[in-house]
Every structure is written in C-alpha cells, then in structure tokens.
Amino acid sequence: MNNNYKDLQNSHPCFGGHKNHAGRIHLPVSPGCNIACRFCDRTINDVEQRPGVTSKILKPEETIEIIRKSLKLCPEITVAGIAGPGDTLATDNALDTFRLIKKHFPKLIKCMSTNGLLLYERADEIIEVGIDSLTVTVNAVEPEIEAKLNKYIIYHGEKIEGIGGARILIENQLRGIEKIAKAGITIKVNTVLVPEINGSHIEEIARTVGELGASIYNIIPLIPQYELKECREPSCIEIDGARAKASKYVDVFRHCQRCRADAVGIPGEKEVGDQIYQRRLRIKETFSHG
C-alpha cells in the first residue's frame, strides 16, 4: 500500500474519506467518448442520479469560478474530480482543467476517471499534471468477455469492433495501470458487474489489477439500460459474493454512490450541485458514441 493511498483514505470520499465527511466536486468537461459500452447511456439531464449524466458541459477555463462557488457553499470539498460524461483522455479538456486546478487550488486532491483506452500512451501527461488518484474502469481482462460488454473502440481515428477492439482496450488499460501505479499514483479500478456476462470473472479481474498495483477495487452493479436493458441488475448476494472474491487480492470499496458527472458536495449527506450548475432542464438529450 503506497503512502498516497493511506492519505486518501482520510480525505477522499471514494477511498474512505466519507467517514470524515469529505466532499468532492465533479467537473463535466469531457464531452466525447472513444469506446461504446453496451450499458452506457451518457445524457444531459437534471433528474437522473447515475454516472454519465450531467446538466451541461464546461470548458476548462469555466471550472475555476465553479470551484470557488462550490467551496463557499461546501468548504468540506477536498477533491476535484473529472469523471465524464465522456472519457477524460479522449480530449485534452480534463488534463487542461487539472493544470488550472494545480495553479489556482493546489491543495485540492486531483482525481480522474478513464476507460483506459489511451491510458498507457498518456501516462506521462497524467504523472506530469500531478493526478493524485486515478480510476480506471476494467470490466474484463479477457477479450471475449469484454467484447460482450463493449461494441467497439475508436482508436487513433479507426473504429475497431468486437474482440479486436477489446484486446487493444484491455492491453492499454493494464499497461497503463502498471505504469501509473509505479509512479506512486493511487489507482482505483471500477468494474460494472453484469451477472450473465462477467459475474464469474470478477476474481480474475481483481487478481490481475491487484498484481499490477491497483490499491482499491469498486464493484458497480449494472443499471439495465441501452443494449443491456434486458440484463438483470445483480442481487445483493451476488454483489457481496463478488466483493468477497475480489477482497482476496485488493482492498474493496463498499460505499459507492454512483455519482453524476456533475455531482458537488458530500456524498449522501450534502449535495449542492443544483445550486452550482443551476439545473433547470427536464429533458433528456442523449450523446452519440464515438
């Protein structure tokens, strides 16, 4: 366990800081995605409480004033995170935002989430920016399983479908995790649990990412939607069983709130995103993949 992870356990709500009532702000600056998960429905709306949802997309330069307002309303905020609604490495927006945060709010923990397709090749930039914690969504470490969860990737302008795309995604994820972990950055791995597809594969994912240096593992139950709307949400027993298997190899996080991409405040206690982002929309606009 690296020292950075120990520190985050006291100050980051996704690493145990919820016990100390730590807050976070999610900055929705990443518009596009480069993979097509079969369960992902990225939208602009004000009503759904789940990942991939935001009421607006910010430009990097707009985030500084947003953070200032948020800290006035919720001084408990310790973390500035970027989790979408698209992928943070598919454009330069997230890294440009973190450079501004590093300059204007150097005490804030910088937290980023990614699907990992470009993680290995952009690892040096992540290290240079000074990201404190990185979350990578790894839903399988076998291409045949990943292809059932992800239709295709857009990789350097080329659309690669099926097992071929899945193989590239997994290789880049795992090489990137290893490189980032060796640099001393704390890594959390998220896995969306789909019982019919990767339910028996969780232990292998946890073992693999644990060996590569991931510090904590988060199992997220499927929200049946999009192409996997006919799949069922895992039961509490299945989630607990998956966590038990994963915990043999890596610490397991058990308090995920499945936050919006524009969440602000203390998870489960004090949410001020409505005031910060002035949510008024009551419609649902769906992003296209790619």
Side-chain angles (χ1 to χ4, degrees):
M1 183 183 297
N2 62 42
N3 290 329
N4 188 38
Y5 177 45
K6 292 179 181 179
D7 293 338
L8 290 172
Q9 287 179 306
N10 294 318
S11 55
H12 193 311
C14 292
F15 292 85
H18 60 282
K19 299 173 185 176
N20 295 327
H21 310 286
R24 79 314 188 212
I25 177 170
H26 284 178
L27 301 163
V29 298
S30 300
C33 197
N34 46 15
I35 72 174
C37 295
R38 298 182 189 274
F39 52 76
C40 181
D41 184 14
R42 292 179 291 123
T43 67
I44 292 180
N45 73 64
D46 290 344
V47 294
E48 292 182 270
Q49 298 300 320
R50 61 175 177 83
V53 176
T54 183
S55 58
K56 62 183 69 177
I57 304 293
L58 299 177
K59 296 177 181 178
E61 57 270 21
E62 294 177 311
T63 61
I64 299 306
E65 185 59 29
I66 290 288
I67 294 173
R68 285 199 181 101
K69 291 179 179 178
S70 299
L71 288 171
K72 288 181 181 179
L73 284 174
C74 185
E76 299 93 339
I77 289 173
T78 58
V79 178
I82 302 178
D87 186 64
T88 51
L89 297 178
T91 66
D92 291 333
N93 293 14
L95 293 176
D96 287 346
T97 300
F98 281 125
R99 290 185 178 97
L100 290 172
I101 292 171
K102 185 177 182 179
K103 177 180 178 182
H104 293 279
F105 302 98
K107 293 183 179 180
L108 285 180
I109 295 166
K110 294 179 289 299
C111 177
M112 185 172 77
S113 298
T114 177
N115 60 42
L117 178 61
L118 298 178
L119 181 57
Y120 181 72
E121 57 196 81
R122 303 202 72 173
D124 289 334
E125 293 177 80
I126 292 168
I127 295 166
E128 175 267 323
V129 166
I131 299 299
D132 297 289
S133 69
L134 179 75
T135 297
V136 187
T137 299
V138 180
N139 293 320
V141 292
E142 294 181 8
E144 292 77 12
I145 297 175
E146 177 64 31
K148 296 177 181 178
L149 297 167
N150 179 45
K151 288 192 294 185
Y152 61 81
I153 65 173
I154 303 295
Y155 191 53
H156 298 302
E158 181 182 0
K159 181 179 179 181
I160 306 173
E161 299 182 280
I163 292 176
R167 184 174 290 111
I168 293 171
L169 174 61
I170 292 168
E171 180 181 356
N172 290 358
Q173 288 173 330
L174 300 185
R175 293 176 72 198
I177 288 171
E178 184 176 34
K179 185 171 183 178
I180 295 293
K182 286 182 177 178
I185 295 171
T186 295
I187 292 181
K188 175 166 69 74
V189 170
N190 282 349
T191 294
V192 177
L193 175 58
V194 186
E196 300 97 317
I197 298 175
N198 65 356
S200 62
H201 188 51
I202 297 298
E203 187 170 354
E204 180 64 15
I205 300 172
R207 182 190 63 78
T208 301
V209 300
E211 289 177 352
L212 292 174
S215 295
I216 191 167
Y217 188 58
N218 181 29
I219 296 171
I220 303 173
L222 171 74
I223 299 174
Q225 60 184 7
Y226 197 44
E227 290 191 1
L228 297 188
K229 63 179 180 292
E230 301 302 325
C231 291
R232 62 181 178 82
E233 188 169 357
S235 68
C236 291
I237 292 175
E238 288 172 319
I239 296 169
D240 287 342
R243 286 171 172 168
K245 291 178 181 178
S247 65
K248 294 188 289 185
Y249 306 99
V250 61
D251 280 356
V252 173
F253 180 61
R254 300 172 185 271
H255 302 279
C256 182
Q257 299 287 318
R258 296 200 290 203
C259 299
R260 290 170 55 102
D262 59 356
V264 185
I266 304 171
E269 291 185 29
K270 179 182 179 182
E271 295 287 354
V272 297
D274 287 348
Q275 299 172 66
I276 295 300
Y277 292 113
Q278 298 179 325
R279 297 173 185 152
R280 296 190 183 92
L281 294 174
R282 293 297 174 223
I283 59 175
K284 181 177 176 181
E285 298 178 6
T286 303
F287 286 96
S288 60
H289 287 284

